[in-house]
Structure formats: structure tokens, C-alpha cells
Amino acid sequence: MPVYNGIPYLTEAIRSILSQSFSDFECIIINDGSTDDSEKVITGFNDNRIIYIKNEINLGLIESLNKGIRLAKGKYIARMDQDDVAFTNRFELQVQKFSQNPSAMVVGSDYQLLKGNAYKNVKNRDDSDYNKAVLFFSTCFCHPTVMMRNVFKDKNVFYDKNCVHAEDYKLWTDIFSFGDFLNVNQALLKYRSHDSQTSTKNRASQLQISREIRRNYCKKTNFNLSEEQFETLNFIGNNSFITTKSELHKIEDCLLALRNQNLQHKTFNETSFNIFLHKFWLDSCGNTNIGFRAYSIYK
């Protein structure tokens, strides 16, 4: 758990980890140069599972995450943010998922998205090929829900310091070949969404970095798109609002190109890949202001 000025949610976040039904873990908390009372909150917990690390200066999220990975001794590494709440059975169910799936590399989960006083349940698919296909457009996990097999030091793979604001997306595209990407189909985290989050404040930088991540992922998976199709890939991944029939037809062309290339080299399970394609086609047709024309194109 990296922490930077974690008040007012930090106490609840730490308490939710220490009260896990699966109790055999170390809780590495890295205080990244906080200037509020975060240190007082952390050191106020009397639990020998807590390993407290204090950065004398603010190193940033990525350096703190990598420091935690290098320190971690466990078989698995669970991510947690300073403002979220883990359900009591989170670790138990994720460790169980790993035990049942020896080829798993990452296990995420459904989660409750909190915004103000309202929340909604967000579902994720427990289908590795589907989740890896989603990486053509965006991250496939809610970052603080994940538990990962601890292979990072052996593989010499860490969060990329050049991918600020998209470090999780880059990590998934770096480790997708290490094993399966699965989910527990049960909400195991309350994920707090608010305006001060990094992804909200640094949207432009995040989009540019995501563009390069997509290009490299296409190369890694041997998908060869024309430059126009790649631009459409970014258009979809950036969740851009569609205002013309022409844009929708370009999306159709891009998705069909992905489908045909997957049929050719069978990178992903065909059924999983087609479900993924339909999801993004349906979302695209719904993300428009062209009314019935979008429905006719969707058909």
C-alpha cells in the first residue's frame, strides 16, 4: 500500500486489510513523503504484520510500488490503495482462486464503485483470453483489486517509470504471457472514485502513454493494423464520443480486422475474442448522438 497524504480514508483502508479472514500476510505500507498525519495513523496500528517504510522525500507512486515489490516476500502480491476498502474475504477468495488455477498470473475481482454516497457494482469477466483482448484498448483490471503471483524479481519486470498515470496498463501488457488473467466474480473491494485521482488530473499524458502501450501490445501479439485502423483503436480506447456514421464505420472496420487476424493466427480463444469484440462494438454504437442510424449500423 503506497501512501501519500492519505487522510481522511487511510485508517479504514488499513483496518480492512488487517481484518482479512486470510491472515498469513505481511502488510507493506510505504509512506511516500506525506506531509499530513499519515505517519501517525500508520504507526498507530499495533500489528506485527505491518512493515512500515518511510520515504524521506516523495518518490512518486511508481517508485514506491517497485520498492514494495522488491521487499515483498510472499508467494503473491496484493495491491491496495490508501482510499479503498477491502472486503474481509478478499485475500481468502483470491488465494483460493490461485490454488484452483495453477496457471494464473493475476486474479482481480468485481468491485463496488463509490462516488460520493452512491455506489454501483462493477462486474468483470473470469475469462483470461477476454481480459487479455481488452488490453488492445485499456487496462483489464481495477488496479487495487488485483493479487499477482510474485515473479517480478525473477523475471526482472517492474512498473515502468516512463508510464506515469498508465503504469498498471503497461504492467499488464508486460506480463500477459506469464499466465492467466482471472477474476473472482464477487465484489471484493470498495473502490473510491473522486476528482483528485491521478487519472482524472493527468488525462492528456495518460492518453499519449496509452497510445504507445497499445502500439507495442499490437506488436507483441502480432496484430498488424493499418495506420488508420490503429488511430481508430486509440479512438475506441480513449472512449471518444462518436458523432458521425463515418466514425462508426471505421470502428466496424477496425474490429473486423482484429477478428480476421485472430482467426488467422489464433492468439486468443475465438469465442472469448468474439465476445470481447461484440462488447466494444455494442459500447461504441451506444456512445453516439446519431440515434437510429447507430442502431441500423449495429445490426
Side-chain angles (χ1 to χ4, degrees):
M1 181 193 295
V3 173
Y4 178 68
N5 292 346
I7 306 298
Y9 305 115
L10 185 57
T11 298
E12 187 178 17
I14 295 174
R15 187 175 290 133
S16 75
I17 296 300
L18 298 180
S19 62
Q20 290 291 303
S21 57
F22 181 94
S23 60
D24 182 16
F25 61 85
E26 55 181 0
C27 181
I28 302 172
I29 303 177
I30 300 177
N31 181 6
D32 190 24
S34 296
T35 58
D36 63 2
D37 285 334
S38 291
E39 180 171 51
K40 186 182 295 185
V41 169
I42 298 165
T43 57
F45 283 93
N46 182 21
D47 193 309
N48 59 14
R49 293 173 298 180
I50 292 178
I51 298 173
Y52 177 52
I53 307 296
K54 182 179 180 179
N55 296 340
E56 293 302 328
I57 60 172
N58 180 252
L59 299 179
L61 176 63
I62 293 176
E63 287 295 332
S64 295
L65 289 175
N66 286 336
K67 181 180 281 192
I69 285 175
R70 291 187 177 96
L71 290 169
K73 302 184 185 73
K75 185 176 181 180
Y76 309 114
I77 297 175
R79 272 284 288 113
M80 183 64 184
D81 282 342
Q82 66 186 22
D83 52 358
D84 298 329
V85 180
F87 289 5
T88 305
N89 60 347
R90 176 190 168 185
F91 289 177
E92 179 183 356
L93 293 184
Q94 288 183 305
V95 169
Q96 185 180 93
K97 190 77 171 179
F98 273 109
S99 298
Q100 295 168 348
N101 299 273
S103 61
M105 174 59 206
V106 184
V107 173
S109 76
D110 297 346
Y111 59 96
Q112 290 183 355
L113 178 64
L114 297 173
K115 197 159 189 176
N117 294 321
Y119 74 88
K120 68 174 182 178
N121 289 314
V122 179
K123 300 282 189 181
N124 291 304
R125 293 187 67 87
D126 183 29
D127 181 333
S128 182
D129 278 10
Y130 176 94
N131 292 325
K132 291 179 180 180
V134 169
L135 294 175
F136 281 112
F137 298 125
S138 64
T139 181
C140 58
F141 294 110
C142 175
H143 198 188
T145 69
V146 300
M147 183 178 284
M148 306 171 284
R149 194 175 295 278
N150 189 359
V151 300
F152 298 98
K153 286 172 283 191
D154 290 343
K155 300 283 190 180
N156 195 31
V157 174
F158 297 91
Y159 290 93
D160 191 331
K161 65 182 180 180
N162 296 314
C163 293
V164 179
H165 315 311
E167 63 281 344
D168 54 332
Y169 186 16
K170 177 62 160 55
L171 184 69
W172 310 143
T173 63
D174 285 342
I175 67 173
F176 79 98
S177 63
F178 292 178
D180 290 339
F181 282 13
L182 304 177
N183 279 296
V184 175
N185 287 140
Q186 183 174 329
L188 299 181
L189 186 87
K190 293 180 181 179
Y191 177 72
R192 198 170 262 112
S193 173
H194 46 77
D195 292 338
S196 65
Q197 284 175 307
T198 301
S199 57
T200 303
K201 295 195 299 182
N202 299 279
R203 177 73 172 160
S205 172
Q206 188 181 54
L207 293 181
Q208 182 57 39
I209 293 169
S210 295
R211 176 188 179 88
E212 295 309 310
I213 293 171
R214 292 184 193 110
R215 189 181 292 280
N216 289 328
Y217 190 61
C218 285
K219 291 178 182 177
K220 289 177 181 178
T221 52
N222 298 314
F223 280 74
N224 299 306
L225 300 178
S226 69
E227 197 57 34
E228 183 177 52
Q229 289 168 339
F230 179 69
E231 290 302 327
T232 302
L233 197 76
N234 286 294
F235 186 82
I236 301 169
N238 295 345
N239 198 30
S240 303
F241 191 65
I242 298 156
T243 59
T244 68
K245 288 175 63 177
S246 174
E247 289 171 338
L248 210 49
H249 283 302
K250 286 180 180 179
I251 290 172
E252 180 180 29
D253 175 69
C254 177
L255 295 178
L256 288 174
L258 291 174
R259 178 179 181 272
N260 291 336
Q261 290 192 37
N262 190 61
L263 285 172
Q264 180 182 350
H265 49 66
K266 303 185 187 307
T267 302
F268 303 99
N269 173 273
E270 183 180 349
T271 299
S272 299
F273 201 71
N274 286 344
I275 292 172
F276 146 76
L277 291 172
H278 180 256
K279 191 266 185 196
F280 279 86
W281 177 232
L282 178 62
D283 286 354
S284 295
C285 291
N287 192 26
T288 75
N289 65 353
I290 63 175
F292 184 76
R293 288 174 295 170
Y295 177 72
S296 64
I297 296 170
Y298 169 76
K299 285 185 65 179

